[in-house]
Amino acid sequence: MNRHLYPIAALIVLTAACQDPFEVRPGSWNWLTEQRVSAGASEITVMTQNLYVGADVDAVIGALASPNPTDDVPALLFAIQTLGETDYPARADAVADAIARRRPHVVGLQEVSVIDIDLTGLGLPVVVHLDFLAILQAKLAERGLNYALAAQVQNITATPLPGISLVDHDVMLVDADRVTVGSAGGQNFAVNVGVVAPGVELKRGWVFARVTIDGEPYTFVSLHAEADLAGAQLDGLRALQLGEVVGTVAGDARVVMMGDFNDVPGSLMYQVVTGAGFTDVWTALRPGVIGFTCCHAANLSDHVADFSQRIDYVFARSNTEPGNVKGRIDRFGDVPADRLAGPAHPIWPSDHVGVTATLRWGSALPGESAAAGPR
């Protein structure tokens, strides 16, 4: 074994074993009061969070897709090292704490990964198994929370070399004590990129749940649209993907759609969504506030969030209420107080912020704003 790889192996083994909780301070959510946790009959809270796989997967895909075979293993080993630095079990504690503070009825999650690495066949003592959903649900259970899996869809699959496997999912969790699920499911978009390198297939998808909360029906959607690839701008593809979603839920009375849309306000994707009658809740409730959501450094080591784009959204639409949606919306994971201890350096909960919105149709609560519907 190359002696330079021993630190990498040790870091990965330590990370895989790390399960101790970390203290996370309220940070950007410190406006929340105890009274806001108990929702009214026509009030709902949702949260969307890209959990982040933990390394720069695009760099690995670029190496695997290149004609140079000598860059594959170095790129993979560097990604494994970064995976150790970003310590998902510790980050899951932070996300679970955020959920416990806000108590969303529904949580939409992206990049919910299952990672299996066993490099003993290559002479490296590196064995990692990370099931993101199982780890997060265990953290929630430790806090006395009962968040059940409502829907899941399998997206990206990557088996670039023997002993290395990554499977990516979108997931929707619901507070089982307060939400009754009528029907739910998940599917891949009809149009996807497909195979981009040996053993690597890019698929994206979306999940939905039609539920009842305090006797009121709602439809929730969570999704992860495709990102741009090196040398390819995929704004048209994202517009097609979102057209599929909004067309499917067009007849539903009340819809809240959230997720990582991988595109900015004003894009073709954005025009498809708002043109279908959806309100961008951040823009409506936080006018004049930019609200960038992405992205931290790949190893989550940046001290200050130097974001450049808003690509994580909550959209809302009602076909039945004559008034506009009202409420509050905020981010998590964008101020230094949200950082937590990592094995090599302080880290952020994800490379994306989480976005949480408390919404209601009808009269406003004190201090709330009304989100204007589409004109």
Side-chain angles (χ1 to χ4, degrees):
M1 175 180 173
N2 188 323
R3 62 184 178 86
H4 296 295
L5 296 179
Y6 277 109
I8 298 175
L11 185 60
I12 294 298
V13 172
L14 286 173
T15 298
C18 178
Q19 298 291 331
D20 294 333
F22 288 82
E23 178 183 0
V24 181
R25 290 165 286 176
S28 61
W29 289 7
N30 57 13
W31 55 265
L32 179 64
T33 66
E34 290 294 331
Q35 290 77 17
R36 296 295 302 162
V37 174
S38 298
S42 59
E43 181 181 327
I44 57 167
T45 298
V46 300
M47 174 179 177
T48 177
Q49 177 71 69
N50 182 317
L51 292 179
Y52 180 45
V53 65
D56 187 351
V57 175
D58 290 343
V60 176
I61 292 174
L64 294 171
S66 78
N68 180 8
T70 64
D71 59 3
D72 294 358
V73 172
L76 286 164
L77 289 176
F78 185 74
I80 293 171
Q81 178 182 359
T82 306
L83 181 65
E85 291 182 36
T86 57
D87 195 352
Y88 174 72
R91 296 191 291 111
D93 264 311
V95 174
D97 281 340
I99 293 172
R101 285 195 298 274
R102 290 304 310 270
R103 287 298 305 275
H105 292 85
V106 176
V107 181
L109 301 171
Q110 306 86 47
E111 292 191 26
V112 186
S113 305
V114 178
I115 300 173
D116 284 294
I117 300 172
D118 185 345
L119 301 185
T120 55
L122 300 177
L124 303 176
V126 179
V127 178
V128 177
H129 173 71
L130 291 171
D131 185 330
F132 281 28
L133 178 58
I135 292 170
L136 179 58
Q137 285 191 293
K139 305 290 187 184
L140 292 169
E142 289 171 5
R143 290 155 176 79
L145 301 176
N146 182 18
Y147 277 85
L149 176 63
Q152 178 175 242
V153 62
Q154 178 177 305
N155 294 326
I156 296 171
T157 57
T159 52
L161 290 176
I164 298 178
S165 171
L166 165 68
V167 181
D168 165 83
H169 303 85
D170 286 336
V171 163
M172 182 176 289
L173 301 178
V174 299
D175 185 339
D177 296 328
R178 299 183 295 158
V179 179
T180 301
V181 178
S183 62
Q187 63 191 68
N188 296 121
F189 293 114
V191 181
N192 276 295
V193 172
V195 176
V196 293
V200 181
E201 182 178 11
L202 295 187
K203 292 183 293 184
R204 304 289 187 178
W206 59 289
V207 290
F208 75 92
R210 293 183 172 97
V211 311
T212 302
I213 300 173
D214 293 325
E216 298 288 334
Y218 298 91
T219 298
F220 295 99
V221 173
S222 179
L223 62 90
H224 195 178
E226 188 55 78
D228 289 332
L229 301 175
Q233 302 297 311
L234 300 180
D235 50 338
L237 174 63
R238 286 186 291 274
L240 288 173
Q241 291 176 337
L242 267 296
E244 175 184 334
V245 178
V246 299
T248 303
V249 299
D252 292 41
R254 271 193 216 105
V255 182
V256 178
M257 182 165 54
M258 55 191 157
D260 176 1
F261 289 68
N262 267 319
D263 222 331
V264 298
S267 63
L268 285 174
M269 173 283 299
Y270 191 89
Q271 294 174 49
V272 167
V273 176
T274 56
F278 284 87
T279 295
D280 177 352
V281 176
W282 181 274
T283 297
L285 298 183
R286 305 289 293 271
V289 180
I290 294 175
F292 288 155
T293 66
C294 187
C295 290
H296 290 297
N299 68 353
L300 305 179
S301 66
D302 47 311
H303 297 278
V304 178
D306 186 21
F307 290 167
S308 61
Q309 52 190 339
R310 183 162 72 92
I311 59 177
D312 302 86
Y313 299 86
V314 175
F315 290 99
R317 192 212 68 214
S318 173
N319 288 340
T320 57
E321 279 80 7
N324 300 321
V325 65
K326 304 166 181 69
R328 295 171 179 163
I329 188 167
D330 210 345
R331 295 172 296 172
F332 163 68
D334 64 320
V335 298
D338 294 328
R339 299 172 79 203
L340 58 145
H345 48 72
I347 56 177
W348 298 91
S350 173
D351 65 335
H352 291 235
V353 301
V355 180
T356 303
T358 297
L359 305 173
R360 62 186 286 126
W361 284 266
S363 60
L365 294 175
E368 288 183 334
S369 302
R375 295 182 174 87

